[in-house]
Amino acid sequence: MLINELNTKIPKKSEEEFLKINFDSLFSYDFKEVKTYELDIMGLKTIKDENSYESVLFNITKSLDDNQKVLTINKNIAEPIFLIHKIKEDETFFTNSLKIEVKENIKAQVVEVFVSESNKSCYGVNRNIVLEENASLEYVKIQDINASSSMIFSNCATQTKNSKLKITNFEFGEGFIINSFENIINEEFVDYELNGLIKLFNEANNATLVKTIHNEKNSISSINYKNSLKNSSKAVVKIKSIVNENALFSKAFQNCNTILLSDDATIFAQPHLEIYIDELEASHGTTTGTLNKEQLLYLQSRGISKDKAYDMLLEAFESSIKNNIEDEIIKEFIQNYKKEQYV
């Protein structure tokens, strides 16, 4: 199976949205098999995914399998739901589509971990998150895919009045990874927050595309990414927020900070605000730099080794994303996470 030969529209690197992202090696690879990855949860309903999405990335997984499992959360849960995905088979394109429904007035937490020990495989993942009125969801994703494998992760959020969605995305893997997050806000008093830590090394190649559209008043979107890049790793982060005429008194914030830890690491960061009203709060910014040499020298002057000082400064840079997690069980899980526990 070649992605280039699928009977659907696929991304092209010549398109504005996908500039700086090279799909050639993934789209031209001939996978030996296509399989649906089955979640280890009994009793999930299966539906046809008949939604239309902003991003064409959804088309790849959907064209191979348009079935979608439905995880419905209709009561408050004391502990997070953990979904662990382990990709083991070589030269296989796996698909997985899940709709997460959080019912009215319900508060929930979901963590997904994606790890692989396979070679030349790809995982196509579609996520459709739907929050009813006054619902709240904290969703955390960890991606830790092998160097020779790939992942296409596409996330669409639909929020009803007074709902709150908080997503935290951790990118640790060495493979070719592309993420898409979209949220079209059509109701009042919606709160949407997306935080990400992209921590790459060796020749990891990672792209994150974020699109938020405000169509209704009094909504909030806050997108915050931090990137620490070593060796020859590469990251692309494109954040686009559109505030339309009816979205009075909305708030739209974007921020992207990068530390380059080698001369060969590269970042392409592109925050973009498109605003059609005056009655709002909005800001965007991006910074790129290295670890502060004066701070390194100061810590060493206090008797701290160079390597330890380096790790301390890097941890301080990355910690705001981890510390922003609200659920204490999830926060502890992230602090103690090691890929070796799952492969």
Side-chain angles (χ1 to χ4, degrees):
M1 188 280 294
L2 283 81
I3 295 176
N4 275 333
E5 296 181 357
L6 291 176
N7 186 27
T8 189
K9 184 179 179 182
I10 61 174
K12 296 179 180 179
K13 61 183 180 182
S14 59
E15 297 172 331
E16 175 65 28
E17 181 181 3
F18 301 108
L19 287 176
K20 305 292 183 180
I21 305 172
N22 189 347
F23 295 96
D24 291 347
S25 60
L26 173 60
F27 286 4
S28 62
Y29 187 79
D30 191 3
F31 293 95
K32 288 184 178 180
E33 289 188 88
V34 176
K35 291 185 175 182
T36 298
Y37 186 94
E38 298 294 343
L39 294 171
D40 190 20
I41 303 179
M42 300 294 291
L44 294 182
K45 182 173 66 174
T46 301
I47 62 173
K48 292 292 183 183
D49 185 1
E50 298 178 346
N51 289 318
S52 297
Y53 300 101
E54 286 282 316
S55 175
V56 297
L57 287 166
F58 281 92
N59 295 348
I60 297 171
T61 296
K62 192 176 174 183
S63 68
L64 295 169
D65 184 2
D66 63 355
N67 288 317
Q68 187 175 71
K69 296 291 186 181
V70 181
L71 172 61
T72 300
I73 305 173
N74 53 21
K75 61 181 180 179
N76 291 319
I77 49 179
E79 296 186 355
I81 297 170
F82 284 87
L83 303 175
I84 311 297
H85 305 247
K86 302 177 184 180
I87 303 300
K88 297 180 179 180
E89 297 178 49
D90 298 339
E91 299 184 74
T92 303
F93 193 106
F94 289 92
T95 65
N96 183 266
S97 182
L98 178 67
K99 180 179 183 180
I100 302 174
E101 296 180 329
V102 184
K103 293 299 186 178
E104 185 175 351
N105 298 318
I106 297 302
K107 183 177 181 180
Q109 304 83 30
V110 175
V111 179
E112 292 202 80
V113 179
F114 300 89
V115 295
S116 76
E117 52 182 332
S118 60
N119 292 306
K120 298 181 179 179
S121 288
C122 184
Y123 198 11
V125 178
N126 286 358
R127 289 293 176 266
N128 185 11
I129 296 176
V130 179
L131 303 189
E132 294 189 358
E133 188 169 350
N134 295 314
S136 174
L137 174 66
E138 182 165 27
Y139 176 87
V140 176
K141 167 188 160 245
I142 299 174
Q143 175 277 123
D144 212 341
I145 298 296
N146 274 11
S148 67
S149 292
S150 305
M151 182 173 177
I152 304 168
F153 180 87
S154 306
N155 180 283
C156 174
T158 303
Q159 294 185 244
T160 312
K161 185 177 180 181
N162 288 318
S163 64
K164 180 180 180 180
L165 174 60
K166 185 171 189 173
I167 297 175
T168 308
N169 180 41
F170 293 96
E171 298 289 315
F172 299 145
E174 294 184 67
F176 173 73
I177 313 296
I178 181 161
N179 300 285
S180 172
F181 295 92
E182 63 182 56
N183 192 342
I184 303 175
I185 299 173
N186 291 320
E187 303 230 9
E188 288 186 81
F189 304 109
V190 161
D191 189 341
Y192 174 54
E193 184 177 348
L194 170 60
N195 300 302
L197 173 60
I198 300 175
K199 185 179 176 70
L200 306 181
F201 56 98
N202 293 337
E203 296 184 357
N205 190 342
N206 192 291
T208 298
L209 310 174
V210 182
K211 187 173 185 180
T212 309
I213 303 176
H214 292 254
N215 288 328
E216 189 53 85
K217 59 187 179 182
N218 296 309
S219 57
I220 301 172
S221 67
S222 178
I223 317 298
N224 181 33
Y225 262 78
K226 290 201 170 184
N227 317 295
S228 64
L229 311 180
K230 286 183 179 180
N231 310 121
S232 299
S233 60
K234 176 185 177 182
V236 174
V237 182
K238 295 187 176 185
I239 305 170
K240 186 174 186 178
S241 300
I242 301 172
V243 185
N244 287 320
E245 294 89 341
N246 293 331
L248 298 170
F249 314 115
S250 291
K251 299 179 181 180
F253 306 118
Q254 303 173 355
N255 196 45
C256 183
N257 305 117
T258 302
I259 286 184
L260 299 177
L261 301 168
S262 77
D263 293 337
D264 296 324
T266 58
I267 178 72
F268 179 80
Q270 186 182 60
H272 178 85
L273 278 172
E274 198 170 308
I275 297 172
Y276 295 97
I277 55 174
D278 295 325
E279 299 85 352
L280 84 163
E281 292 182 41
S283 66
H284 68 91
T286 181
T287 63
T288 302
T290 60
L291 286 179
N292 189 300
K293 292 182 179 180
E294 291 185 0
Q295 291 178 342
L296 275 171
L297 290 172
Y298 173 77
L299 290 173
Q300 291 176 69
S301 73
R302 307 295 291 179
I304 298 171
S305 69
K306 183 177 180 180
D307 289 345
K308 180 64 174 177
Y310 176 98
D311 290 341
M312 289 173 63
L313 291 179
L314 193 57
E315 176 63 25
F317 172 77
E318 299 171 353
S319 63
S320 63
I321 301 298
K322 299 175 183 178
N323 293 339
N324 201 40
I325 294 172
E326 295 179 8
D327 186 90
E328 291 300 323
I329 295 175
I330 299 176
K331 190 178 293 185
E332 182 178 358
F333 178 82
I334 296 297
Q335 293 291 351
N336 297 323
Y337 168 79
K338 289 183 175 60
K339 181 179 181 180
E340 294 74 21
Q341 297 170 319
Y342 301 100
V343 296

